[in-house]
Structures are given as structure tokens and as C-alpha cells.
Amino acid sequence: MKLIATKDAVGQVLCHDMTQIIPGVTKDARFRKGHVVTEEDIAVLLSMGKENLYVWEKCPGMLHEDEAAE
């Protein structure tokens, strides 16, 4: 897992859910763990106040928690 600027996150995999809160309308995960960030997602993430994101960084000998659970 590594921290990167949201504007540089296209093609990266999110490490956790990202909740979007719109008072009186919704409070739910807008992006789920494992989502691959697209160019269109950047504006939404920035509007949610997400200047930086934790993304998955595959390292030799390391498993993602979902792979380990299997």
C-alpha cells in the first residue's frame, strides 16, 4: 500500500472504500476497495476532499488481503 496524489491515481487500485456524504441524500461507499481509478473518477474523488489516496502496491512475496483469505 502506498499514498499517492489523487491526480496521479489513474489505473491504480484503491485499498479501501471511499465514502461520499451528501447531506440528506446519501452516505455510502462511492468507490469500493479494489476499484481501479479512471480519469472520470478523479474529479469525483477531489470533490469528496480526497487529495491523496492509498493504492495497492504489489511487492514480491506480498499478498493482497483478499488473496491471503482465499
Side-chain angles (χ1 to χ4, degrees):
M1 180 165 66
K2 68 178 177 176
L3 182 65
I4 65 170
T6 299
K7 62 182 178 63
D8 299 327
V10 174
Q12 300 293 316
V13 178
L14 295 177
C15 286
H16 53 83
D17 292 351
M18 302 298 234
T19 301
Q20 184 177 37
I21 301 170
I22 302 173
V25 178
T26 187
K27 181 181 177 184
D28 195 14
R30 177 65 174 85
F31 300 100
R32 300 274 181 200
K33 176 180 77 172
H35 175 78
V36 178
V37 179
T38 66
E39 187 70 41
E40 296 79 26
D41 297 337
I42 300 298
V44 176
L45 288 160
L46 290 172
S47 75
M48 292 168 53
K50 305 298 182 184
E51 297 293 325
N52 298 293
L53 302 171
Y54 282 101
V55 296
W56 175 245
E57 181 178 35
K58 182 81 170 174
C59 297
M62 204 172 172
L63 291 177
H64 186 278
E65 65 182 330
D66 293 344
E67 293 175 313
E70 289 176 0

